Amino acid sequence: MIKSELVQVIANRNPHLYQRDVEMIVNAIFDEITEALCESNRVELRGFGAFSVKNRPPRTGRNPRTGEAVEVSEKWVPFFKPGKELRERLNEA
């Protein structure tokens, strides 16, 4: 599902809201999550999961074409840990 499909589903489930308002709400939620992660804060959505950032230290990697050693710099990457409720729903038989 892409963001526009998410907006459409929410708008269809809430006919009293305009689609442009739903789009603004979805964008605001994503912006707040992004801002929190940029500040190294954890974002927890109960029943869904938690977003956080993890540090990947610098390392020596390999160029897959040439096999040459390449220095990979330190970076921060987003990390998602699904919540118990989400895991249970995914694993229902």
Side-chain angles (χ1 to χ4, degrees):
M1 175 179 283
I2 59 175
K3 187 164 57 169
S4 61
E5 291 172 339
L6 176 63
V7 168
Q8 189 63 47
V9 168
I10 294 171
N12 290 343
R13 288 185 185 175
N14 298 282
H16 61 282
L17 296 174
Y18 292 112
Q19 185 167 344
R20 69 176 180 270
D21 293 337
V22 172
E23 187 172 357
M24 287 173 46
I25 292 168
V26 169
N27 286 333
I29 292 169
F30 288 154
D31 289 344
E32 287 300 314
I33 291 172
T34 302
E35 282 299 316
L37 293 175
C38 287
E39 296 171 2
S40 297
N41 293 328
R42 185 172 185 263
V43 177
E44 182 176 337
L45 304 172
R46 297 285 170 136
F48 182 70
F51 296 92
S52 60
V53 290
K54 291 196 174 195
N55 183 296
R56 287 204 180 150
R59 62 184 174 84
T60 301
R62 295 258 174 233
N63 181 330
R65 286 189 182 169
T66 64
E68 178 185 349
V70 177
E71 290 301 315
V72 179
S73 61
E74 172 186 53
K75 62 178 112 181
W76 292 91
V77 293
F79 179 75
F80 176 74
K81 181 178 178 186
K84 180 181 175 185
E85 199 174 306
L86 176 60
R87 282 193 313 270
E88 288 173 354
R89 287 184 66 181
L90 288 174
N91 291 308
E92 288 177 351

